[in-house]
Amino acid sequence: DRIEPLGGLEHVADPRTLLEEIRHLLKPGGELYLSTPNLESGWRRLFGSAWINWHLPFHIRFFSSHALRQLLVSRGFRIRSLRTTTPPEYLPMSSILFVLKRIFGISSPRVVEFRMGGRRQKFWNGKTANLLLAPFVRVMDGVTGNGDVIEAVAVREGEGR
């Protein structure tokens, strides 16, 4: 038994109720895999209001690792693993937003995307970011101890469904 929501808790007004519904769907021992922006990210502190995960109005709830752990445990889950990481492509996207905000006052994450041939494209290709920036991002995540995204695996505890 495994549930892996495509969107994270940052998109829902009432994450407690969502987690209760997910718990109800899982069998005891079933796993919940989720990721959500990390409010304590070192990159959030660096980029401030240009941080890529301030994606309003789509992201309406934000969590620290501690708050997410408490929320999951309070809803009947045991934490199997919880870590933070930063996808390397987030760094150039936040950098572009930072510059656009400073120069033009633009702060929407949508500006780092454009349409070409009917498909949504990003100004910075993820493969390029992974190749060039992954080592730097990993070192900085290690230094700050807080990546942009919290990834958690939680196990449903208890009896029956």
Side-chain angles (χ1 to χ4, degrees), residues 29-155:
E31 296 177 322
L32 167 62
Y33 286 68
L34 62 86
S35 66
T36 190
N38 179 14
L39 189 59
E40 294 180 334
S41 165
W43 299 107
R44 183 198 53 84
R45 288 190 292 275
L46 174 67
F47 290 111
S49 63
W51 182 48
I52 193 66
N53 281 310
W54 294 130
H55 195 65
L56 300 171
F58 306 105
H59 291 179
I60 59 175
R61 294 281 181 258
F62 295 91
F63 301 90
S64 65
S65 294
H66 178 74
L68 181 60
R69 179 182 302 275
Q70 283 186 316
L71 177 62
L72 288 166
V73 169
S74 76
R75 293 300 173 249
F77 290 93
R78 176 177 45 82
I79 306 300
R80 175 165 291 155
S81 66
L82 192 140
R83 71 181 189 123
T84 67
T85 188
T86 302
E89 62 271 17
Y90 281 25
L91 180 59
M93 292 187 325
S94 284
S95 299
I96 291 166
L97 286 175
F98 184 78
V99 170
L100 290 173
K101 182 168 177 91
R102 294 290 170 138
I103 295 172
F104 302 108
I106 298 170
S107 60
S108 171
R110 294 265 181 228
V111 299
V112 299
E113 300 175 348
F114 62 96
R115 290 199 126 1
M116 178 183 288
R119 293 179 48 196
R120 192 170 67 174
Q121 306 289 326
K122 295 192 185 318
F123 280 130
W124 188 276
N125 179 299
K127 291 178 186 174
T128 304
N130 280 326
L131 180 65
L132 298 176
L133 297 174
F136 173 71
V137 168
R138 297 293 171 251
V139 168
M140 290 305 293
D141 280 357
V143 168
T144 66
N146 280 305
D148 257 3
V149 175
I150 305 167
E151 295 177 342
V153 179
V155 178

